[in-house]
Amino acid sequence: MMHDYLPINRIDMNIRGWKQCDFVYVVGDAYVDHPSFGHAIISRLLEAHGYKVGIISQPDWKDKKSIQILGEPKLGFLVSGGNMDSMVNHYSVSKKRRQQDAYTPDGAMGKRPDYATTVYCNLIRSVYKDAPIIVGGIEASLRRFAHYDYWSDRLKHSILIDSQADLISYGMGEKSIVEVADALSSGIDIKDITFIEGTVYKANSLDSVYDYQLLPTFDSMKADKLEYAKSYYIQYSNTDPFLGKRLVEPYKDNLFVVQNPPSKPLSEEEMDFTYGLPYMRNYHPSYEEQGGIPAIREIKFSLINNRGCFGACSFCALTFHQGRIIQARSHESLIDEAKKLIEEPDFKGYIHDVGGPTADFRHPACEKQTTKGACSNRQCLFPEPCKNLNPDHSDYIELLRKLRNLPKVKKVFIRSGIRFDYVLADPGKKFLKELCEHHVSGQLKVAPEHVADKVLSKMGKPKNDVYREFVKEYNEMNGRLGKKQYLVPYLMSSHPGSGLHEAIELAEYLRDLGYMPEQVQDFYPTPSTISTCMYYTGIDPRTMEKVYVPTNPHEKAMQRALIQYRNPKNYDLVVEALKLAGRTDLIGFEKKCLIRPRTGGPKSNIDGKSGKYNGNMGKAEVQSSEGQKNRKRKTIRNVHKKAAKK
C-alpha cells in the first residue's frame, strides 16, 4: 500500500502500476484525504480491504469526458454529493444562492450541480450503460424514499429512481460498502445484491422480498399529505439497527423501492480502525495554487470522538443518518491522532474540538441500547430524561484531561455543542465544573432554539425551565471559579408550531437577557426530518395532530425581525407584528418595551388574533410595492364581502 493520495488521473494510476480501478469514487467536494470527509473514509476503508479506488472530484457535469478520466472501473462507481447536501450548500433558507462553497478550491461556487448525486449518476449512465452505481453520503441517505423537496416545493421520488443508480448505501456506510464490494468482487450481479443491511435497492416484484412492512404508494402520498405523514413516521420508527424492519415503497406494479434494516453500529475497535487509516490529513496538493480548501481550516485541529445522537431533535436528520446509538473511539485512538496534530508545523497549541454530533455523548444512553436497540416508542431526553438514562460524563472528563496534558497542548476546546439537559441530568456537576474551568473560551454556544414550550415540544427540545436552570447553574459555576464566561444561545425562527405570539415571547426573553443575536436561523426544511414533515403536511407525524406552520415569507420575516428587534432595519416589521398580535404594550418608553413609537408603518394581511397569514401572495409580491397595493385591495374586498354577508 502506497502512503499517498489516491489516484485522481491516469498518471497516478500508472505510478501505482494500475491498469484499472476497482471503484471510481465520484464526489461533489474537492478531494480532501481527512477522516472528517465521507469520501476519504469510504475510499480508505476499501483500500484497506484490498480494493483499488480512484477519485474523480467535482467533475464537469456538462462534459462526458470528465467522468472518463480514470476509465471504467472493474466493479463499479461510488457517488456522493459531498459532505453537505448540495442544495443546502448552494441555497440559503430564503432560496438565495450562496456566495461561497467551503468544500471547493478557494471557496468558489459553481463547481458542482444542484442535486449533485442525481446529476453525476445520470452523467455516468450516459457513458457507461451497465456499470454498477452505488450512491451514498448525506444527500442520498436522506432521499432514500419519497421525500418533500423544499427547493422545488413538491414530493419527489426516491433518489434511486431519478438517479438511475442501482443501490444506496445509507447511513455512515462503512459496513455496508465493504459487503457490497465483496459481493461484486465475488461475481454477484449488482441487481442480485438485495441482502445487505444498510442498503436500499429497486425490485420488479416482491416475490423474493420477505418480512417487510409496506408503505403507502408514491401516488397516494402525492395525492394526500396525510398518507405521506403516515409513511414518514413508519420510516422514522424503523431507523434502529436492532428493531428496524424491512420497508417497501411501491411506485408501479413492477417497481418497488426496498430498504433493508440499518447496519449495526460500529464497535469501539471498528471505530478506531476506521479513524486510524493512513489518511494524508489534508487536501490534495493540486489545490494549493488554487487557494486551498476552506473547510480544512475548521477541522484540521479537531478530533471526532463519537457519532450518533440520542437527542433526536425534530429538525435534525441525525436519527435518519447516523442513528440514536452512540459509537465512540477509544482514548488511545484519539490520543494517537492528537499527537499527529501536535506535530503539524502550523499547530499553535490549541485543539479546536473534541466532539461529534453532540460532544458529551461518549456512550449509549442506556445499557439496553447496545444489544436491543433504542426504544421505538419513546425518546431518551424528550420530553424528560428517561429513567434508564445513564448521564455519566466521567469517561469524557478523563479523555479531556489526557488530551490537555499532552506536550505542546495549551487548550482543548469543545465547539461542536453539548446537550445542556444531559449535563444537568448528571448529578455530580463534575463535568460542568470541568467544562467551565478548562474548555470554554469566554463564550459557550448552546442550542435552546426557542423559549416557548409550545414550539419546543414540536422541536423535541426540553422545556424552557430546563434551559433556565442550566443558565443559572452555568453562571453560578463560573462565579465560583472566578471566571467571566457567557452563554451564546442558538435560536430558530419560524419552526412549525411558532406563530407571532411565540415569536414575541422569544423577543421578550431576549429583552430580559439583554442580548440580540447577530444571526438568526430560520427553520430550513431539509429532507427526512420530523420538522420538514410537519412543514409539508401541517401534521405532526408523531401524534397525527394538526400543527400551525408559518410558510409565508412576510410572516417569517416578522418572526425573524422580532428576534433582532433592536436592529433599526427591522423596526417596521416589529411594529407590524406587535400590532397584529395585540401586543402594543411593548411599543413605548418603559423598560419592558421592545421598541419606541414613531409615526407611520405598513399595513398587513396577518390575522391579529391567531398571528397567521391569511393571504396567498408569493415572496416577490410581498416585497414589491405593487404587491402591497394588491394586498390592500384584497383586504378591502374581504371586508366588504364580510359586511355583505352580515
Side-chain angles (χ1 to χ4, degrees):
M1 183 185 299
M2 184 184 297
H3 184 52
D4 197 357
Y5 292 90
L6 296 173
I8 63 169
N9 52 43
R10 288 282 191 176
I11 296 173
D12 292 346
M13 290 174 63
N14 292 337
I15 291 172
R16 289 176 176 247
W18 296 3
K19 292 185 178 180
Q20 186 180 28
C21 295
D22 292 320
F23 291 99
V24 170
Y25 199 129
V26 180
V27 61
D29 291 339
Y31 175 27
V32 182
D33 196 29
H34 188 283
S36 291
F37 288 73
H39 62 265
I41 287 181
I42 295 301
S43 58
R44 287 298 184 185
L45 190 64
L46 288 170
E47 180 190 43
H49 283 80
Y51 294 102
K52 301 172 183 175
V53 185
I55 305 286
I56 298 180
S57 172
Q58 299 185 322
D60 181 352
W61 66 96
K62 300 179 288 295
D63 184 0
K64 292 183 179 182
K65 292 180 181 178
S66 68
I67 215 73
Q68 299 173 273
I69 58 174
L70 297 178
E72 183 173 4
K74 180 180 177 182
L75 299 178
F77 283 93
L78 309 175
V79 180
S80 168
N83 257 25
M84 192 175 179
D85 186 292
S86 64
M87 298 305 287
V88 177
N89 179 283
H90 285 172
Y91 299 98
S92 69
V93 65
S94 60
K95 301 183 183 178
K96 293 180 180 178
R97 191 80 172 180
R98 298 191 195 273
Q99 299 302 309
Q100 285 193 317
D101 179 350
Y103 298 93
T104 295
D106 200 31
M109 285 297 292
K111 295 294 184 180
R112 81 182 91 203
D114 289 352
Y115 306 105
T117 302
T118 297
V119 173
Y120 290 152
C121 288
N122 284 314
L123 179 64
I124 293 167
R125 193 61 79 204
S126 71
V127 178
Y128 302 109
K129 304 294 184 185
D130 301 316
I133 301 177
I134 302 102
V135 296
I138 190 80
E139 185 164 297
S141 186
L142 301 185
R143 290 169 168 80
R144 55 190 188 256
F145 281 125
H147 54 279
Y148 170 67
D149 183 76
Y150 171 68
W151 302 275
S152 61
D153 192 27
R154 64 186 180 92
L155 196 68
K156 297 189 78 169
H157 300 136
S158 161
I159 196 171
L160 268 185
I161 294 174
D162 291 339
S163 69
Q164 302 184 72
D166 296 291
L167 207 62
I168 301 173
S169 170
Y170 72 89
M172 298 305 284
E174 287 96 344
K175 288 192 173 184
S176 60
I177 199 62
V178 172
E179 290 186 56
V180 169
D182 289 346
L184 289 168
S185 181
S186 69
I188 299 176
D189 189 278
I190 187 71
K191 292 180 173 54
D192 295 324
I193 301 178
T194 60
F195 50 86
I196 295 173
E197 291 183 342
T199 62
V200 183
Y201 64 94
K202 291 175 287 191
N204 294 326
S205 75
L206 299 180
D207 294 344
S208 59
V209 183
Y210 61 94
D211 192 23
Y212 62 86
Q213 182 165 355
L214 197 65
L215 300 173
T217 67
F218 178 79
D219 287 342
S220 69
M221 289 187 285
K222 197 171 181 181
D224 185 352
K225 291 180 178 180
L226 181 62
E227 288 297 293
Y228 177 75
K230 292 176 181 176
S231 177
Y232 175 81
Y233 196 63
I234 293 171
Q235 297 169 44
Y236 183 83
S237 301
N238 284 277
T239 54
D240 185 80
F242 294 94
L243 303 173
K245 297 178 182 178
R246 185 171 287 101
L247 303 177
V248 174
E249 184 172 78
Y251 281 82
K252 301 174 183 176
D253 292 339
N254 61 343
L255 180 59
F256 303 89
V257 171
V258 183
Q259 175 185 288
N260 288 317
S263 296
K264 295 296 186 293
L266 297 185
S267 65
E268 183 179 87
E269 292 77 14
E270 289 170 326
M271 285 283 284
D272 288 354
F273 178 78
T274 297
Y275 286 89
L277 292 168
Y279 305 100
M280 300 303 291
R281 308 192 63 80
N282 207 341
Y283 51 76
H284 194 277
S286 62
Y287 301 127
E288 195 66 53
E289 62 182 21
Q290 301 176 55
I293 310 302
I296 196 72
R297 299 171 199 148
E298 294 296 320
I299 51 86
K300 187 173 183 179
F301 297 113
S302 296
L303 300 170
I304 298 172
N305 95 89
N306 65 37
R307 65 170 60 161
C309 183
F310 52 77
C313 299
S314 302
F315 48 81
C316 179
L318 275 166
T319 297
F320 248 67
H321 189 56
Q322 292 191 5
R324 290 168 56 193
I325 299 175
I326 301 301
Q327 301 146 75
R329 297 165 62 187
S330 70
H331 291 194
E332 293 74 21
S333 171
L334 287 156
I335 290 167
D336 284 347
E337 185 176 356
K339 289 177 179 178
K340 293 176 183 176
L341 303 186
I342 291 168
E343 296 308 314
E344 292 285 341
D346 51 344
F347 181 70
K348 305 297 183 184
Y350 302 99
I351 295 177
H352 295 162
D353 191 22
V354 184
T358 301
D360 55 328
F361 289 175
R362 276 285 297 169
H363 53 76
C366 66
E367 292 183 6
K368 175 183 98 50
Q369 289 187 353
T370 58
T371 55
K372 297 181 181 178
C375 300
S376 59
N377 60 344
R378 67 176 67 177
Q379 301 290 348
C380 304
L381 285 168
F382 175 79
E384 296 175 348
C386 174
K387 63 179 182 179
N388 296 319
L389 181 73
N390 178 24
D392 184 2
H393 287 84
S394 57
D395 180 65
Y396 192 39
I397 291 172
E398 183 183 352
L399 169 64
L400 292 169
R401 286 175 177 173
K402 288 177 181 178
L403 289 169
R404 68 174 186 257
N405 286 330
L406 288 173
K408 301 181 183 179
V409 172
K410 298 176 183 177
K411 188 93 172 179
V412 177
F413 296 110
I414 300 172
R415 289 182 174 171
S416 56
I418 60 167
R419 280 292 297 227
F420 57 83
D421 47 348
Y422 187 66
V423 174
L424 288 178
D426 191 339
K429 296 184 184 177
K430 290 182 180 179
F431 177 66
L432 184 59
K433 180 178 183 296
E434 199 86 4
L435 175 70
C436 295
E437 190 168 8
H438 298 288
H439 304 289
V440 178
S441 178
Q443 297 178 336
L444 177 67
K445 295 178 180 179
V446 288
E449 306 295 357
H450 214 282
V451 299
D453 287 343
K454 177 183 174 182
V455 182
L456 291 168
S457 69
K458 297 304 178 188
M459 290 178 162
K461 300 286 285 186
K463 291 182 178 180
N464 185 38
D465 287 346
V466 179
Y467 177 64
R468 289 179 182 270
E469 176 64 21
F470 177 76
V471 172
K472 176 175 171 289
E473 296 280 358
Y474 178 80
N475 290 335
E476 288 179 356
M477 182 61 72
N478 278 296
R480 287 197 291 272
L481 295 171
K483 289 179 174 286
K484 291 184 178 181
Q485 299 184 138
Y486 306 96
L487 287 173
V488 178
Y490 281 120
L491 301 168
M492 185 183 296
S493 63
S494 302
H495 187 276
S498 176
L500 285 181
H501 294 285
E502 289 73 32
I504 292 169
E505 185 178 343
L506 179 53
E508 290 183 285
Y509 172 79
L510 293 172
R511 173 202 63 199
D512 297 340
L513 193 63
Y515 169 72
M516 187 184 81
E518 292 182 6
Q519 292 183 326
V520 177
Q521 176 61 56
D522 263 0
F523 166 63
Y524 202 150
T526 55
S528 297
T529 70
I530 290 177
S531 299
T532 299
C533 182
M534 286 191 277
Y535 178 90
Y536 174 57
T537 64
I539 296 167
D540 186 334
R542 296 165 293 192
T543 62
M544 301 309 289
E545 296 175 350
K546 290 185 178 180
V547 56
Y548 173 66
V549 180
T551 57
N552 185 273
H554 189 65
E555 180 185 357
K556 292 171 73 174
M558 283 195 291
Q559 291 205 26
R560 186 169 59 252
L562 282 163
I563 298 178
Q564 295 177 308
Y565 67 88
R566 293 184 185 179
N567 188 333
K569 294 180 181 179
N570 293 331
Y571 183 88
D572 289 339
L573 286 168
V574 173
V575 169
E576 184 180 4
L578 294 176
K579 287 181 177 179
L580 291 166
R583 293 301 310 274
T584 53
D585 59 300
L586 296 176
I587 304 173
F589 298 95
E590 296 178 11
K591 187 177 180 180
K592 67 163 189 163
C593 295
L594 298 180
I595 54 174
R596 295 182 176 188
R598 77 180 187 205
T599 58
K603 302 288 185 180
S604 174
N605 255 12
I606 306 289
D607 184 270
K609 293 182 180 179
S610 67
K612 299 179 182 180
Y613 192 87
N614 59 25
N616 296 308
M617 281 69 73
K619 181 177 180 181
E621 185 178 328
V622 168
Q623 292 183 335
S624 69
S625 59
E626 186 59 33
Q628 291 179 7
K629 292 177 184 177
N630 290 339
R631 292 203 312 277
K632 187 173 182 180
R633 293 188 193 107
K634 185 174 181 180
T635 303
I636 293 170
R637 287 199 300 271
N638 288 340
V639 170
H640 286 306
K641 286 180 180 178
K642 289 179 181 178
K645 287 181 180 179
K646 289 181 180 180

